[in-house]
Amino acid sequence: VTASAEVRVPVVVDGARDYVVAIRSGGLDAVGAHAVDAAPAVRRWAVVCDDTVGALYGDRVRRSIEGAGRPADVFTFPAGEAHKIRGTWADVTDRLVAAGLGRDGGVVGLGGGVSGDLAGFVAATYMRGVPVMQVPTSIVAMVDSAVGGKTGVDVPSGKNLVGAFHPPVRVVVDPETVRTLPRVERAQGLAEAVKHGAIVDADYARWIGEAATDLLGGDVDAANRLVARSVEVKAEVVSRDERESGLRETLNFGHTVGHALEALSDYTLPHGSAVSIGMVLEARLGESLGWTAPGTAAALAAILESVELPTAPTGPVDVEGALGFMKADKKVRDGRPRVVFLERLGRVRVDGGSWASAVDEEALRGLLSSA
Amino acid sequence: VTASAEVRVPVVVDGARDYVVAIRSGGLDAVGAHAVDAAPAVRRWAVVCDDTVGALYGDRVRRSIEGAGRPADVFTFPAGEAHKIRGTWADVTDRLVAAGLGRDGGVVGLGGGVSGDLAGFVAATYMRGVPVMQVPTSIVAMVDSAVGGKTGVDVPSGKNLVGAFHPPVRVVVDPETVRTLPRVERAQGLAEAVKHGAIVDADYARWIGEAATDLLGGDVDAANRLVARSVEVKAEVVSRDERESGLRETLNFGHTVGHALEALSDYTLPHGSAVSIGMVLEARLGESLGWTAPGTAAALAAILESVELPTAPTGPVDVEGALGFMKADKKVRDGRPRVVFLERLGRVRVDGGSWASAVDEEALRGLLSSA
C-alpha cells in the first residue's frame, strides 16, 4: 500500500446530503472506516459487485467493513453490460431481502460502471431507499459514473431509461485497482477524462496525452493524478447542478453523436470509443459552423490517438439511422438534437444562455455523411 | 358538479418541492388546470390507472388535460393488488417508452392505492424521475396513500419492499368519485381515517362514527369533510417528517399487529380490516400495560363497528406466525417489534422521546392468544 495522502473532493448536492469522494492508494482497506464515518446508522452492508470484481476484491472489502464493526456480505451477479437489466436488479433485491437486510442496511457498489449503476438502483429502490457507498474499480467509474448520483438499468428499447438519482453517502477510490484492468479498459476510461479536459481545462487534456504511456500501463501515480483532477471537474459541475438542467449538460460533450454511433452499432462499439469519435466529430461540426476555433478537432484527435482511442468511424455511417437515434434521445426538445460545442479546447460555447445548441438535421447529415 | 369551494392543504416536504392537496367536488375536470399550474414544464402526460378506473374516469381526465393544452394518453393495467408488482411496473414503463414519452413528460396516477403506488414508482424511475400528479379515487387513497410520497410495488417475499420516495407535484381529490365505490371499499378506506382521529383528534374519530350512514352511503358532502380533515392530519404529520424517522411513525398505529394479521392471511384479509383489528388489539395491549387509558379500546371498537369494520380476528390467531411477521417487519430494530400506543383517544404516547415503544414478545404472545 502506497503511503500517499488521501485526496478528498466534496460534492455539494442540491436537495440531498453532500458527500465526499475520497481518493487514496490502498483505499479498498479503508472502505469500512469510510462506511462507519459516512453512514454511522447503517448496521449491515451488502457489497454488490460482478463476479469478476468479486473474485478480485470482494473479500477484501467485506473484511474491511467487518473490521470496522459492521457485518457485511458479498452479492455477485454475472459480469457485463448485458446484465445491467431489470432482471438482475430484481434478483439482487430478492437476495438482499432473503438475507434479511433491513431498512437499517446499506449497499456498497463495488466495481465498474455497471456495478455502480445497478447497485445504486438497488439501493435507491430497496425499502424506498437505503444508503449506497460507491467503490469504483474501473477508470471510467472512478472519473465518471461513480460521481453524480445517477443510477439505473437498461431496458430493451434503450440504455439507462429506468433509474433514479440516488447520491452516494461516499465514494471511495483506490487507484491501485487500475493495475488489474485490461489495457483496453484503461483506454476506454480515459475518453471521459479527456472530455473533462476538453470542457474546462486544456492543460489537463494535454497532460493526458503526454502521460499516455503511464496511464495505459496502469501506473498508480498517474492514475491518482488523473482521478483527482477528473473528480474535481465532475464534482464541480454536478455540485452546481445535480439535476442535469444546466451546467451538467456540458458533460454531454461528444455524447450526442457518440450515443447515436453506440446505439447504431447495437452497443458493440464501446462507450469510450463512441464518445472519443463523438468528441472529434462534434468539434469538427463546431468548426464548420464557425462556433469552434479551427484546429480544435485535430488537437483533440491527437490526444485521443495517443491513448489508443478511435477518432473516426471504422466505416460508412448509417446517416438516417444515426439521426433517428439522435432525435429519440431523452434530451431532445422540439425534435432538434442538442449538441454541446467547444469554443476552443478547455471551454464550452454558451448559446443564448444555454450550454448546448440545437442543430439542424442538415448540418448533422452533412457531418455524418463525410465521417 | 357541486359548486363547493376548493380546499387546498399544503404539504411541506424536506428536501423536495412542497405540494398542495386540492380537494373539490368536480375536481376531475380540473386535473388539466392543476397539471399546467403545478408542472408547467411537462409537455405531455401519461395517465396510469387500472382498467376499472380507466373505464369510469380515464377519458374524462384525459380530456381535462388536453383541454388545458397538453397531449395526454391513458395507460391501463389489470385491476387488483396482485398486479402491483415489478412485472406491471416494467410493462407500463416499456409502453411509455414505446409511446415516445420523453424526459419532459409526466405521469398521472389515477385510481386507488394500487394505481397511485404503481404510477408513482413508474414516475420515480422513468428516465431517473419525472413528475407525478396523484388523482386518488378511493377513500383509502384520498385520505392516506396519495399523500406522503411513498411509491412502490410488492415482491414475492413482502409488500412494498421495493419503491421510492417520490412526492407528487400535486394531489387532486374529487370526492364525488366515492359514489362509484362499492360500500365495502368505502368502509375499508375509513379505517385509516379513524386512525387519524385516534392519533390526533378524538372529536374527528367520534364524528366518523356519527356520520357512518352518510360515509358508507357515498354522500359527497360527508366525503368532502372526511377527506379534508384526514388530509390535514396526514399532511401535518408528513410535513414535519417526510422520511418516517420520527413523527410519521405515529401513522403506524394499528399497523404492527394489523400487518401481521394481513400477512398471516396471505393478504386475503383486506388492509383496512387488518388495521381496524390491529388498532383495537394494540389499544387493548396498551391498556393492559398501563400505558393507554382504560376504555380506549372499547371506544375505538364502537366507532369501527359503526362503519362496518371488524374489530377482532374471525378465529384463533397463529400466534408464532404473527410474531414471526412482526419481527421480520422493516421497522424492527434489535429484534423487538415496535408498536405505537395511544395515551388516550386522540393522543399518542411518547416513550423516551420516541413515538413508538418496543414490546416484549411475551406481551404480544399474550395479546394474540387471547384475541
Side-chain angles (χ1 to χ4, degrees), chain B:
Chain B
V1 175
T2 310
S4 66
E6 185 173 87
V7 174
R8 294 173 73 99
V9 182
V11 183
V12 180
V13 182
D14 188 35
R17 284 194 187 83
D18 302 345
Y19 59 93
V20 162
V21 183
I23 306 159
R24 188 168 59 107
S25 292
L28 283 185
D29 299 313
V31 167
H34 281 294
V36 172
D37 181 52
V42 171
R43 288 166 172 267
R44 185 172 165 200
W45 290 91
V47 180
V48 175
C49 54
D50 70 34
D51 42 21
T52 306
V53 171
L56 285 167
Y57 303 122
D59 264 358
R60 195 167 148 199
V61 169
R62 184 182 53 70
R63 282 200 307 270
S64 171
I65 298 171
E66 291 183 340
R70 297 288 189 279
D73 299 286
V74 179
F75 298 84
T76 63
F77 61 90
E81 176 95 23
H83 297 285
K84 200 183 106 175
I85 54 176
R86 289 179 294 213
T88 312
W89 162 79
D91 178 59
V92 171
T93 297
D94 288 345
R95 284 155 64 204
L96 300 192
V97 172
L101 192 79
R103 184 181 281 192
D104 52 0
V107 172
V108 174
L110 171 68
V114 167
S115 294
D117 286 3
L118 182 75
F121 191 52
V122 168
T125 56
Y126 194 76
M127 298 183 180
R128 298 195 198 99
V130 296
V132 67
M133 190 160 66
Q134 295 287 4
V135 183
T137 62
S138 74
I139 291 182
V140 68
M142 293 176 189
V143 302
D144 186 29
S145 53
V147 180
K150 286 185 179 181
T151 74
V153 295
D154 303 332
V155 299
S157 47
K159 301 221 317 175
N160 295 315
L161 291 180
V162 164
F165 276 97
H166 191 58
V169 292
R170 184 149 306 172
V171 182
V172 179
V173 180
D174 184 346
E176 293 199 24
T177 59
V178 301
R179 287 186 178 148
T180 53
L181 292 174
R183 182 178 180 97
V184 64
E185 274 223 43
R186 294 187 197 122
Q188 286 297 314
L190 294 173
E192 300 286 352
V194 171
K195 184 194 73 181
H196 294 146
I199 61 174
V200 299
D201 185 347
D203 287 343
Y204 176 52
R206 287 187 206 106
W207 172 78
I208 294 172
E210 290 154 15
T213 304
D214 286 345
L215 290 168
L216 291 172
D219 180 82
V220 173
D221 287 338
N224 237 318
R225 183 166 166 190
L226 180 96
V227 174
R229 183 62 188 132
S230 265
V231 167
E232 272 178 6
V233 172
K234 179 146 191 193
E236 167 139 3
V237 170
V238 302
S239 287
R240 292 204 201 153
D241 174 21
E242 175 74 6
R243 282 277 169 181
E244 199 163 5
S245 50
L247 187 64
R248 189 168 190 151
E249 197 166 15
T250 60
L251 296 172
N252 288 324
F253 173 58
H255 281 63
T256 306
V257 170
H259 272 158
L261 297 176
E262 199 180 356
L264 261 188
S265 79
D266 213 10
Y267 297 95
T268 56
L269 181 67
H271 183 71
S273 297
V275 169
S276 180
I277 300 168
M279 287 193 285
V280 174
L281 292 185
E282 291 181 8
R284 192 176 299 158
L285 178 61
E287 291 185 34
S288 76
L289 292 167
W291 294 343
T292 301
T296 305
L300 255 178
I303 295 167
L304 293 163
E305 276 161 19
S306 67
V307 293
E308 300 177 358
L309 284 167
T311 56
T314 48
V317 175
D318 169 1
V319 176
E320 296 312 313
L323 281 170
F325 279 114
M326 287 183 208
K327 289 194 289 186
D329 189 272
K330 55 188 183 294
K331 283 177 282 289
V332 164
R333 306 273 158 110
D334 299 325
R336 287 170 89 206
R338 290 166 63 82
V339 175
V340 174
F341 288 104
L342 301 184
E343 198 174 292
R344 53 179 164 75
L345 195 66
R347 189 179 191 96
V348 170
R349 174 179 186 261
V350 182
D351 180 0
S354 172
W355 297 101
S357 311
V359 176
D360 289 332
E361 270 186 45
E362 271 319 300
L364 287 163
R365 202 170 265 126
L367 174 78
L368 295 167
S369 309
S370 67

Side-chain angles (χ1 to χ4, degrees), chain A residues 68-307:
Chain A
R70 296 287 189 278
D73 299 285
V74 178
F75 298 83
T76 63
F77 61 90
E81 175 96 22
H83 298 284
K84 200 183 104 173
I85 54 176
R86 289 178 293 213
T88 312
W89 161 78
D91 178 59
V92 171
T93 297
D94 288 345
R95 285 155 64 204
L96 300 191
V97 173
L101 192 80
R103 183 179 282 192
D104 53 0
V107 171
V108 174
L110 172 68
V114 168
S115 295
D117 285 3
L118 182 75
F121 190 53
V122 168
T125 55
Y126 194 76
M127 297 182 180
R128 297 195 198 98
V130 296
V132 67
M133 189 160 66
Q134 295 287 5
V135 183
T137 62
S138 74
I139 290 181
V140 68
M142 291 175 190
V143 304
D144 185 29
S145 53
V147 180
K150 286 185 180 181
T151 73
V153 295
D154 302 332
V155 299
S157 46
K159 301 220 320 172
N160 296 315
L161 291 181
V162 165
F165 275 97
H166 191 58
V169 293
R170 184 149 305 171
V171 182
V172 179
V173 180
D174 183 346
E176 293 202 20
T177 59
V178 301
R179 287 183 177 152
T180 54
L181 292 174
R183 182 180 180 97
V184 64
E185 274 223 41
R186 293 188 197 120
Q188 285 298 313
L190 294 172
E192 299 286 352
V194 171
K195 182 193 72 182
H196 294 147
I199 61 175
V200 299
D201 184 349
D203 287 344
Y204 175 53
R206 289 185 204 106
W207 171 79
I208 294 172
E210 290 155 14
T213 305
D214 286 344
L215 289 168
L216 292 172
D219 179 81
V220 173
D221 288 340
N224 237 317
R225 183 168 166 190
L226 179 95
V227 175
R229 183 63 187 131
S230 266
V231 168
E232 272 177 6
V233 172
K234 177 141 193 197
E236 168 139 2
V237 170
V238 301
S239 288
R240 291 205 204 153
D241 176 20
E242 174 76 7
R243 284 276 170 181
E244 198 162 4
S245 50
L247 187 62
R248 189 169 191 150
E249 195 165 17
T250 60
L251 296 172
N252 288 327
F253 173 57
H255 281 62
T256 305
V257 170
H259 273 157
L261 298 176
E262 199 179 357
L264 263 188
S265 79
D266 213 10
Y267 296 96
T268 57
L269 181 68
H271 182 71
S273 297
V275 170
S276 180
I277 299 167
M279 288 192 286
V280 174
L281 293 186
E282 291 180 8
R284 192 176 301 157
L285 177 61
E287 291 183 33
S288 76
L289 292 166
W291 294 342
T292 301
T296 305
L300 254 179
I303 295 167
L304 291 164
E305 276 161 18
S306 67
V307 292

